[in-house]
């Protein structure tokens, strides 16, 4: 049996592409999702990838969900923290609920998901943890103080956890996508895409979910063992570090 991989938010958008790519590469994949039962069932029936429903903002739910995955498939070797939400609004109008929901799902979930698996990875002297951040965590974005803060926090988390676990054969890295052609992004008014978004991207197009998935495959592989604490910027040149 291949290595076991868990992908949060793994049944739609970028997460679905990651789940499919990992399965095609020989991993046994468990795809987590939060609430869209219809989409999750459709994904499961189309791909054969088992799906698991739990809220990544809850530590207890993550611990129970991961325990079930390990009972069904085996110990987790690869963890892809992809789940994320937006609750956009200018900060002077932002509610505590908008702030807390995004921080809970996008940032607190990193502790909730990594803590139950990290000791097992350390004991086995192998692990791959990959966090899907965002270009807006690197450069900031008006109307997304909550989202930008969470995604920037991911990058600090990755660097710290990478240092703690490098000697144990565990790598921890991030991918920071720019605008990717998911269902959500393609629903944006075409005029807004053409006039306001695409001009920001030097390559002149949206990214594809499969392009982010290929970054995940690279970082998850045994051959990427010398890369840790790093961020791959997959944004078409929109923001260059």
């Amino acid at each position: 049996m291949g290595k076991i991989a868990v992908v949060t938010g793994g049944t739609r958008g970028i997460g679905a592409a990651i789940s499919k790519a990992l399965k095609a590469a020989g991993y046994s994949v468990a795809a987590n999702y939060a609430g869209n039962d219809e989409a999750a069932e459709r994904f499961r029936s189309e791909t054969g990838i088992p799906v698991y429903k739990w809220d990544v903002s809850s530590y207890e739910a993550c611990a129970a969900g991961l325990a079930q995955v390990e009972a069904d498939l085996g110990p987790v070797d690869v963890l892809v923290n992809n789940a994320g939400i937006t609750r956009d609004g200018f900060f002077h109008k932002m509610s505590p609920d908008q702030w807390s929901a995004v921080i809970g799902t996008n940032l607190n979930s990193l502790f909730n998901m990594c803590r139950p698996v990290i000791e097992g990875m350390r004991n086995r002297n192998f692990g791959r943890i990959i966090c899907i951040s965002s270009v807006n965590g690197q450069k900031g974005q008006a109307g997304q103080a909550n989202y930008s803060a969470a995604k920037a926090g991911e990058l600090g988390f990755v660097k710290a956890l990478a240092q703690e676990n490098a000697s144990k054969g565990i790598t921890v890295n991030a991918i920071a996508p720019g605008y990717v052609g998911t269902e959500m992004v393609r629903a944006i008014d075409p005029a807004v895409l053409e006039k306001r978004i695409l001009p920001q991207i030097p390559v002149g197009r949206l990214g594809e979910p499969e392009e982010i998935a290929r970054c995940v495959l690279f970082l998850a592989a045994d051959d990427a063992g010398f890369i840790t604490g790093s961020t791959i910027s997959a944004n078409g040149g929109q923001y260059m570090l």
Side-chain angles (χ1 to χ4, degrees), residues 54-63 66 79 81 104 107-117 157:
W54 74 79
D55 177 5
V56 296
S57 70
S58 164
Y59 178 80
E60 291 76 14
C62 289
L66 287 164
L79 172 60
N81 291 305
L107 184 57
N108 292 345
S109 62
L110 302 187
F111 178 88
N112 298 340
M113 289 296 299
C114 291
R115 184 62 184 85
V117 301
F157 175 86

Side-chain angles (χ1 to χ4, degrees), residues 214-229:
R214 287 194 288 272
C215 295
V216 171
L217 287 183
F218 168 66
L219 292 173
D222 290 350
D223 289 346
F226 198 59
I227 300 170
T228 195

Side-chain angles (χ1 to χ4, degrees), residues 19-155:
S19 296
K20 292 174 185 177
L22 286 167
K23 181 183 179 183
Y27 294 83
S28 296
V29 180
N32 153 268
Y33 75 103
N36 193 325
D37 295 320
E38 182 180 349
E41 177 56 29
R42 184 166 59 249
F43 174 84
R44 186 201 60 77
S45 64
E46 291 174 354
T47 65
I49 295 171
V51 298
Y52 295 82
K53 183 179 182 179
W54 74 79
D55 177 5
V56 296
S57 70
S58 164
Y59 178 80
E60 291 76 14
C62 289
L66 287 164
Q68 187 61 58
V69 169
E70 295 204 340
D72 293 345
L73 302 178
V76 176
D77 301 296
V78 177
L79 172 60
V80 184
N81 291 305
N82 168 74
I85 63 171
T86 57
R87 297 289 186 270
D88 295 350
F90 285 108
F91 186 75
H92 63 281
K93 297 182 179 181
M94 186 173 288
S95 70
D97 286 344
Q98 284 176 293
W99 178 270
S100 297
V102 170
I103 297 299
T105 297
N106 297 15
L107 184 57
N108 292 345
S109 62
L110 302 187
F111 178 88
N112 298 340
M113 289 296 299
C114 291
R115 184 62 184 85
V117 301
I118 194 69
E119 291 184 71
M121 289 179 174
R122 289 172 63 88
N123 291 337
R124 295 188 300 276
N125 291 300
F126 181 86
R128 296 286 186 265
I129 296 173
I130 302 161
C131 297
I132 309 301
S133 181
S134 168
V135 65
N136 291 341
Q138 297 174 305
K139 72 175 185 61
Q141 176 62 44
Q144 288 193 326
N146 49 5
Y147 185 82
S148 296
K151 292 300 183 180
E154 284 194 54
L155 302 181

Side-chain angles (χ1 to χ4, degrees), residues 167-233:
S167 67
K168 292 293 186 178
I170 300 166
T171 66
V172 189
N173 293 289
I175 300 166
Y179 284 98
V180 175
T182 60
E183 180 181 344
M184 180 175 66
V185 171
R186 293 193 185 280
I188 295 173
D189 184 335
V192 173
L193 276 174
E194 290 293 331
K195 295 179 181 179
R196 296 180 56 186
I197 294 177
L198 291 180
Q200 300 178 42
I201 306 172
V203 301
R205 64 173 177 85
L206 300 175
E208 295 296 337
E210 291 75 17
E211 292 178 298
I212 309 305
R214 287 194 288 272
C215 295
V216 171
L217 287 183
F218 168 66
L219 292 173
D222 290 350
D223 289 346
F226 198 59
I227 300 170
T228 195
S230 295
T231 300
I232 294 178
S233 295

